[in-house]
């Protein structure tokens, strides 16, 4: 039997970020951004922080994506990586 989650959490989050960067409309972008944020938020901080640093570089280099979308995606992932404690 093949285990369904054979892909690593890092790999899944990266694919979700790629999907957000390649979105063709705002609704699609928001959907993939939310999925990526949830995937990163589910990780332990020790795993999420280095992944965020990697994804931040990927997002910064994605010049085919609108700057505002890239900023929004980065902000969402940063929030998921280090949620503010009340």
């Amino acid at each position: 039997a093949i285990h369904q989650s054979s892909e690593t959490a890092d790999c899944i989050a990266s694919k979700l970020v790629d999907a957000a960067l390649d979105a063709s409309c705002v609704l699609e972008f928001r959907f993939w951004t939310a999925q990526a944020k949830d995937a990163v938020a589910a990780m332990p901080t020790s795993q999420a922080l280095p992944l965020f640093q990697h994804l931040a570089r990927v997002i910064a280099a994605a010049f085919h994506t609108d700057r505002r979308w890239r900023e929004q995606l980065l902000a969402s992932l940063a929030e998921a990586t280090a949620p503010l404690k009340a």
Side-chain angles (χ1 to χ4, degrees):
I2 297 171
H3 193 257
Q4 219 176 356
S5 59
S6 58
E7 284 189 283
T8 64
D10 287 15
C11 185
I12 292 168
S14 291
K15 285 183 176 183
L16 293 169
V17 165
D18 288 343
L21 291 171
D22 292 337
S24 56
C25 66
V26 174
L27 187 62
E28 191 181 346
F29 171 77
R30 288 184 182 156
F31 173 80
W32 291 118
T33 297
Q35 296 296 310
K37 181 179 178 180
D38 290 348
V40 172
M43 294 178 187
T45 307
S46 61
Q47 184 182 3
L49 282 172
L51 177 61
F52 171 76
Q53 291 166 342
H54 166 73
L55 292 175
R57 288 189 294 273
V58 170
I59 293 164
F63 298 111
H64 65 283
T65 303
D66 185 276
R67 179 182 56 81
R68 290 163 299 187
W69 283 14
R70 288 183 289 158
E71 289 170 357
Q72 201 176 334
L73 183 54
L74 266 175
S76 289
L77 295 178
E79 197 179 302
T81 305
L84 297 174
K85 304 286 188 263

